[in-house]
């Protein structure tokens, strides 16, 4: 066993094109570190919710140039099998470690395989890549990013020519094509022959961002903005400038791309402490709202002044922003279908129904939301919003930020705030309170054990609310394809439990709906909602054994 592991590592080392990972792997072989080698060679990275994603390092279970070259070769083989030979593949990348290298390797492999390749001019937001695919008539796109993962990670997100991320069966067919790639020496990788795009592709995207705003709408909201050490600053500030909003006050410590993400433990606005510097800046600048993007700027976080909370600023939940944007689009006379994933708040369905609009629920991920027929607006609770599906068929943190700023400006002219509008929605549809129980693990078997336990002994009540139905989503439903998840409907509440597709986490999504008779009843409804969510969280953790 040990001998086989060393032999496998030596074979990998012999064809690794990257001096850094070669040195790293050679040291592990020299030290005879079989435990670490086993962790890297016990399998291969698999396509998940967002293509490939993993920790940087040597070996098939890490993100590195060898893995990326194989992924690119498999994708090229798949595209040619689909009759796309000679088609254009657009490649974008963020500012993480190795992203530019992975983008260049992908361009070389595509060129060598007889496809045309074009690389975005510099590290840019993921939605720019998603836009460029359709704008340039490409047959596929690749974005090198690990989004909001820790600094040591990178990833590889694949889109097809419709501008949407891959879904079954394409993901499985691409994975099979990757597995069929032989020795790397057989993968043709010329030194040149692909295009590096100029700023015109970004200019075209920015011109499109104007389309999300209503002509002549107020543009007075003042913002504090953080790019969370990612690639959003230059694009968001350009978009705000074009639209005529006041220039955002930047969180200086986080404005420039930095793959080390030195000021945050996890570069995700949802993580505890990630917004601390933004809130400190906001206390000095006194803006109308705080806007944050994640490192590849496809997500958008929003915070608002709230004197009732410590520090004076409150982060809005993704479900709250999702409902606010929906209400804004309804007021603007939007038509079409509103869509969300099953883990997002049921409030969107109520807003759509009252407005006479279509409504669809999908599996988790924008790869599903973006495919809804007639989509006008889609969102997911994890801070993702698609507000211009004709331009970007994916979540877009830049255009979402523009739309939030427009809504805040409209309300500001009326002497109102985003919190006032949330109150209006609670009075119209009931108070929809959401929360999440999220458990990060080192050992993935903890997640499997929790799911098995819940399947074998499903809870009959949570927080004193009877479970009225329990669904095992792995069997699929009449409206959803199979996925690893569990859904419980309770009297006035809903719970969904699923393993994360992008991180080693078990995620439980909780929602309670509390009726509200009038504005005077809002505080009591909020207290009841918080009480029920806390009780559900406690009882669910006990039922899952986590």
């Amino acid at each position: 066993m040990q001998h086989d592991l060393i032999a496998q590592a030596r074979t990998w080392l012999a064809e690794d094109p990257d001096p850094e990972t070669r040195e790293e792997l050679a040291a592990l072989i020299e030290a005879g570190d079989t435990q670490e080698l086993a962790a890297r060679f016990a399998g291969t990275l698999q396509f998940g919710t967002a293509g490939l994603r993993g920790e940087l390092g040597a070996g098939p279970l890490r993100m590195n140039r060898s893995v990326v070259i194989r992924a690119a070769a498999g994708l090229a083989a798949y595209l040619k099998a689909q009759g796309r030979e000679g088609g254009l593949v657009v490649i974008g990348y963020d500012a993480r470690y190795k992203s530019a290298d992975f983008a260049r390797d992908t361009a070389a492999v595509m060129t060598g395989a007889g496809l045309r390749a074009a690389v975005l001019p510099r590290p840019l937001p993921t939605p720019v890549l998603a836009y460029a695919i359709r704008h340039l008539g490409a047959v596929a796109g690749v974005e090198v990013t690990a989004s909001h993962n820790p600094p040591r990670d990178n990833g590889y997100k694949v889109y097809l020519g419709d501008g949407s991320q891959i879904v079954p069966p394409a993901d499985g067919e691409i994975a099979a094509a990757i597995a069929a790639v032989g020795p790397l020496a057989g993968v043709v990788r010329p030194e040149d022959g692909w295009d590096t795009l100029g700023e015109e592709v970004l200019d075209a995207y920015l011109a499109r961002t104007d389309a999300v705003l209503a002509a002549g709408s107020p543009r007075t909201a003042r913002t504090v903005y953080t790019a969370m050490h990612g690639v959003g600053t230059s694009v968001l500030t350009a978009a705000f400038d074009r639209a005529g909003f006041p220039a955002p006050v930047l969180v200086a410590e986080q404005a420039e791309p930095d793959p080390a993400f030195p000021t945050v433990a996890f570069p995700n606005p949802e993580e505890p402490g990630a917004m601390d510097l933004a809130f400190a800046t906001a206390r000095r600048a006194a803006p109308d709202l705080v806007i944050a993007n994640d490192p590849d700027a496809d997500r958008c976080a929003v915070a608002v002044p709230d004197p009732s909370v410590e520090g004076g600023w409150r982060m809005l939940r993704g479900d709250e922003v999702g409902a606010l944007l929906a209400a804004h689009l309804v007021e603007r006379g939007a038509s079409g279908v509103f869509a969300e994933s099953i883990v997002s708040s049921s409030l969107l369905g109520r807003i759509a129904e009252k407005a006479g609009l279509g409504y669809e629920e999908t599996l988790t991920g924008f790869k599903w939301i973006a495919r809804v027929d007639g989509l006008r607006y889609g969102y997911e609770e994890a801070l993702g919003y698609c507000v211009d599906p004709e331009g970007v068929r994916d979540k877009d943190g830049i255009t979402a930020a523009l739309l939030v700023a427009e809504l805040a400006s409209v309300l500001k002219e009326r002497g109102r705030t985003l919190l006032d509008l949330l109150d209006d929605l609670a009075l119209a549809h009931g108070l929809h309170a959401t929360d999440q129980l999220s458990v990060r693990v080192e050992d993935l078997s903890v997640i499997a054990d929790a799911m098995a336990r819940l399947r074998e002994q499903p809870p009959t009540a949570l927080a004193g609310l009877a479970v009225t139905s329990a669904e095992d989503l792995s069997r699929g439903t009449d409206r959803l394809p199979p996925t690893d998840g569990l859904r419980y409907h309770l009297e006035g509440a809903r719970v969904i439990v699923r393993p994360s597709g992008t991180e080693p986490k078990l995620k439980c999504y909780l929602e309670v709906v509390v009726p509200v008779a009038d504005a005077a009843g809002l505080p009591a409804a909020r207290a009841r909602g918080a009480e029920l969510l806390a009780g559900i969280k406690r009882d669910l953790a006990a039922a899952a054994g986590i």
Side-chain angles (χ1 to χ4, degrees), residues 31-288:
D33 190 341
T34 52
Q35 184 174 350
E36 182 61 26
L37 288 171
R40 293 160 182 257
F41 286 87
T44 58
L45 283 182
Q46 299 297 311
F47 271 77
T49 304
L52 294 170
R53 198 176 287 185
E55 187 176 342
L56 289 162
L61 270 173
R62 297 288 185 268
M63 281 297 298
N64 51 64
R65 290 184 60 198
S66 297
V67 164
V68 165
I69 290 166
R70 287 182 182 280
L75 175 59
Y78 166 83
L79 292 170
K80 290 165 73 173
Q82 298 291 314
R84 304 296 190 186
E85 183 142 15
L88 175 66
V89 178
V90 190
I91 302 146
Y93 59 103
D94 67 10
R96 284 177 177 267
Y97 296 120
K98 298 287 183 183
S99 286
D101 294 340
F102 295 166
R104 185 183 187 283
D105 282 331
T106 301
V109 170
M110 295 300 162
T111 304
L115 292 144
R116 292 179 295 123
V119 184
L120 293 186
R122 63 178 190 282
L124 287 167
T126 293
V128 177
L129 181 275
Y131 168 80
I133 293 166
R134 298 179 73 211
H135 176 65
L136 298 172
V139 299
V142 171
E143 176 71 16
V144 180
T145 181
S147 189
H148 57 281
N149 275 39
R152 64 179 182 274
D153 289 2
N154 212 327
Y156 199 80
K157 190 181 289 192
V158 177
Y159 297 75
L160 293 182
D162 62 356
S164 299
Q165 295 176 50
I166 53 170
V167 296
D171 55 356
E173 292 168 3
I174 294 169
I178 293 169
V181 174
L184 287 192
V187 178
V188 179
R189 287 185 290 133
E191 289 295 314
D192 52 33
W194 57 89
D195 292 329
T196 299
L197 297 168
E199 292 298 310
E200 65 278 358
V201 68
L202 178 60
D203 292 342
Y205 167 81
L206 286 169
R208 178 80 202 186
T209 62
D210 296 350
V212 306
L213 302 174
S217 63
R219 314 278 167 91
T220 56
R222 294 174 302 107
T223 58
V224 157
Y225 171 72
T226 175
M228 208 67 67
H229 298 297
V231 297
T233 296
S234 64
V235 179
L236 182 130
T237 53
F240 271 56
D241 181 57
R242 285 181 64 101
F245 285 103
V249 175
L250 302 182
V251 179
E253 303 93 330
Q254 299 174 334
E256 295 303 316
D258 187 336
F261 303 105
T263 68
V264 288
F266 288 94
N268 178 355
E270 294 179 293
E271 292 283 348
M275 296 288 287
D276 286 356
L277 285 170
F279 292 158
T281 305
R283 284 190 284 273
R284 293 193 298 271
D288 298 302

Side-chain angles (χ1 to χ4, degrees), residues 15 27 164 280 328 347 350 362 364 388 417 490 498 508 524 533 535:
E15 62 174 20
S164 299
H328 182 47
L347 178 55
R350 291 182 168 92
T362 74
T364 309
D388 177 25
T417 67
L490 299 88
R498 61 179 281 273
C508 310
L533 287 171

Side-chain angles (χ1 to χ4, degrees), residues 223-224 269 275 279 288-293 299-305 313-318 320-322 324-325 383 385 397 400-401 403-405 408 418:
T223 58
V224 157
M275 296 288 287
F279 292 158
D288 298 302
L289 68 167
V290 171
I291 289 174
N293 286 141
R299 297 169 192 245
C300 176
V302 180
V304 294
W313 281 85
R314 175 161 86 84
M315 177 95 153
L316 297 181
R317 290 190 169 278
E320 292 176 313
V321 177
L324 288 168
L325 291 179
L383 310 183
Y385 314 94
L403 203 60
V404 169
L418 296 177

Side-chain angles (χ1 to χ4, degrees), residues 167 255 278 370 473 481 539:
V167 296
L473 298 175
D539 293 352

